[in-house]
Amino acid sequence: MKKFVLLFLVLCVSLSLFGCNGMKSELIDYDEMVGGGGYYVEDAGGMIKIDGKPYGMIDAGVAGSFEGGGGNSHYERPAGLLTASAWDDNLHYSEWLDLFFVGQSEEENGKFANKYQKSGWGFNSLDRVTVKVVDKETQASVSGATVISYNNFGAVTFTARTNANGVAYLFPGTESGNIKVVSGEGAAETAFSSEERELALDISGSKDKENIIKLMFVVDVTGSMGDELSYLNNELIDIVKRVAASDKQTRIDLSLLFYRDHTDEVLFDYYDFLNVTDEQNLQLQLKNISKQRADGGGDYPEAVDEALAFALNREWGEENSTRLIFHILDAPSHESDENKARYLNAVSLAAEKGVRICPVLCSSADELCEFLVRQEAVYTGGTFIYLTNDSGYGNSHYDPELPETTVEALNDLVVRLINGYHSGIFAEPVPWIKAEQQ
């Protein structure tokens, strides 16, 4: 009887603590609930904290939702938790060249000096030709024009397409040669030399740009991405929703490619382009993002070259559209001659098709991974993005030590770049502010 009374009193106290005023328990072990790992705390104001870090506001007393099971289980995270910075090496080309400078001593060498001639990756991004294409009649920039460089023997050395501002970056690997521009019924030619590498061409009868964004996310989902993938899933969902809702006059075709490595049973999980301005298609692609879990891999390098080759050989359409790949990863490609050749060919094909690759470097990355993904961005006219430690989420992130970059919320940064590549007008970054400073 005494035991029963004691238990009854404990239950009453528990109910008074947890039931009054609509408050839940202060500390809940969601490892025990769904097999995940860690804790969340909800205070009276509805502030959710995971492992002691602020998680976001919910209505006080409303139960959180949990997903999945095993090591990837997680509380439904709000977007905007991950922080990142962006850097366009084509806009800072002299600084890019400095990274490859070979001095009289190792201390004077640039960061990537030992990865140029000796690495065998084949990238030759140190001798750029910039071409600006303008319509003769309207004086407007010509977007989507095909720009081809030839050597002095008439062989094609590089192919690119102009961006929304009519600019194309080419890396012909020769001191001199010829440039040809084609768009619609318009065409023009000129020569380049070691002294003349910034060229302007006028054409007539150019092909109009269509109000279409072809957007693909290529994401490493091996085990090492586990510390970030549950955050990234919600970041990607938020990005897609915002872009799809921002302008109903713009058709947004979204494709998804999730990849692992050769030791895994499934190498690729691919979802073809769907017009996500259609609500049904949007919900389908959001579901495809949300079900991804980090698993597999084994060794450090992953099937990066094969993933990019697969992505670039999808059907990107014949329209004069904005074409973007956001390549999210934390490990480089394998380094056999076959891997290296496939990697270079895939990036060169992206430049030829006018697909801007914007790599997003995550926590386990190293200097080789940085070198390779920045080549992706330089070759294709994309932007290099790297996650930062500012928000405190995920493992410690690799720091490329770039000067004068702005820390932004990752989702805001990606939306800003998508809109910028489509319109040609890039909004200024909005600095991320710590929660206690807001």
Side-chain angles (χ1 to χ4, degrees):
M1 182 67 178
K2 290 181 179 179
K3 289 183 178 180
F4 176 80
V5 172
L6 179 62
L7 287 172
F8 179 78
L9 290 173
V10 169
L11 179 60
C12 290
V13 171
S14 299
L15 289 173
S16 66
L17 288 173
F18 303 154
C20 294
N21 302 320
M23 293 174 61
K24 295 194 293 294
S25 63
E26 190 176 65
L27 183 64
I28 298 176
D29 181 353
Y30 67 86
D31 177 68
E32 181 179 334
M33 296 179 67
V34 295
Y39 300 88
Y40 82 78
V41 178
E42 180 185 338
D43 63 23
M47 171 60 79
I48 294 297
K49 293 183 179 180
I50 298 294
D51 299 331
K53 298 171 184 174
Y55 219 38
M57 297 297 295
I58 66 168
D59 294 333
V62 177
S65 62
F66 294 88
E67 296 184 356
N72 291 296
S73 302
H74 62 280
Y75 187 86
E76 183 105 8
R77 293 175 164 94
L81 297 181
L82 297 181
T83 51
S85 287
W87 184 261
D88 188 333
D89 283 304
N90 276 305
L91 297 182
H92 300 88
Y93 193 62
S94 62
E95 291 97 322
W96 174 250
L97 297 180
D98 288 342
L99 296 175
F100 297 86
F101 176 76
V102 178
Q104 295 183 352
S105 66
E106 189 170 331
E107 289 75 18
E108 294 177 340
N109 289 349
K111 183 197 291 190
F112 297 147
N114 64 337
K115 291 183 172 61
Y116 182 43
Q117 298 288 2
K118 299 177 182 178
S119 68
W121 290 98
F123 291 102
N124 183 13
S125 57
L126 306 185
D127 207 2
R128 187 183 70 185
V129 175
T130 303
V131 180
K132 168 77 174 180
V133 183
V134 174
D135 187 282
K136 282 183 180 179
E137 298 176 0
T138 65
Q139 292 301 301
S141 300
V142 177
S143 174
T146 299
V147 186
I148 308 168
S149 63
Y150 301 85
N151 64 20
N152 291 318
F153 301 99
V156 174
T157 54
F158 201 90
T159 304
R161 294 195 188 186
T162 54
N163 59 25
N165 292 312
V167 176
Y169 301 111
L170 295 93
F171 303 92
T174 59
E175 287 190 3
S176 61
N178 294 288
I179 297 288
K180 182 177 182 179
V181 174
V182 178
S183 177
E185 299 177 356
E189 294 186 45
T190 191
F192 69 90
S193 65
S194 56
E195 293 79 23
E196 295 288 334
R197 303 187 84 80
E198 293 191 11
L199 310 171
L201 286 168
D202 296 336
I203 62 173
S204 298
S206 60
K207 185 177 182 180
D208 292 336
K209 181 179 179 179
E210 299 188 45
N211 202 12
I212 299 170
I213 299 174
K214 307 283 284 190
L215 175 63
M216 181 185 288
F217 290 106
V218 177
V219 187
D220 176 350
V221 288
T222 55
S224 62
M225 290 288 290
D227 65 305
E228 285 157 334
L229 190 61
S230 56
Y231 299 96
L232 282 168
N233 284 350
N234 291 317
E235 303 291 343
L236 296 182
I237 288 170
D238 178 72
I239 290 163
V240 172
K241 283 181 177 179
R242 287 167 61 184
V243 173
S246 63
D247 181 5
K248 292 299 183 182
Q249 304 304 311
T250 302
R251 194 181 93 201
I252 301 162
D253 295 339
L254 175 67
S255 177
L256 307 166
L257 173 60
F258 304 95
Y259 69 91
R260 290 187 169 86
D261 203 9
H262 308 114
T263 56
D264 301 305
E265 184 177 349
V266 177
L267 182 58
F268 299 139
D269 189 10
Y270 176 67
Y271 303 92
D272 208 353
F273 287 105
L274 290 176
N275 176 9
V276 292
T277 51
D278 175 86
E279 182 64 24
Q280 185 174 352
N281 289 339
L282 173 62
Q283 293 304 318
L284 182 59
Q285 294 293 53
L286 296 182
K287 182 179 179 181
N288 291 330
I289 294 172
S290 65
K291 70 183 181 182
Q292 297 302 317
R293 297 292 182 267
D295 188 30
D299 57 0
Y300 179 54
E302 311 297 0
V304 178
D305 55 302
E306 292 171 83
L308 285 179
F310 184 92
L312 270 304
N313 281 287
R314 298 310 94 198
E315 180 52 60
W316 286 84
E318 297 300 320
E319 309 98 338
N320 183 4
S321 59
T322 300
R323 303 176 181 189
L324 295 168
I325 285 177
F326 285 87
H327 182 196
I328 303 171
L329 73 165
D330 69 348
S333 166
H334 294 277
E335 297 187 55
S336 72
D337 290 343
E338 182 181 4
N339 296 130
K340 291 177 178 179
R342 185 185 293 117
Y343 199 115
L344 176 62
N345 290 338
V347 174
S348 299
L349 182 58
E352 181 179 335
K353 290 188 172 186
V355 180
R356 321 290 166 190
I357 302 179
C358 297
V360 181
L361 206 59
C362 297
S363 59
S364 298
D366 62 6
E367 189 175 284
L368 174 60
C369 193
E370 179 195 352
F371 166 77
L372 292 174
V373 300
R374 288 176 76 172
Q375 295 283 7
E376 294 178 12
V378 168
Y379 256 53
T380 64
T383 300
F384 169 55
I385 304 165
Y386 57 98
L387 297 185
T388 71
N389 291 327
D390 295 84
S391 67
Y393 291 98
N395 293 337
S396 180
H397 296 92
Y398 175 82
D399 184 2
E401 299 178 347
L402 288 165
E404 300 176 4
T405 57
T406 301
V407 176
E408 306 173 63
L410 175 66
N411 56 341
D412 293 342
L413 190 161
V414 173
V415 170
R416 180 174 68 82
L417 290 181
I418 293 171
N419 292 333
Y421 278 108
H422 188 55
S423 67
I425 302 171
F426 290 83
E428 289 296 316
V430 176
W432 175 82
I433 303 173
K434 291 183 180 180
E436 58 265 27
Q437 296 175 342
Q438 292 178 342

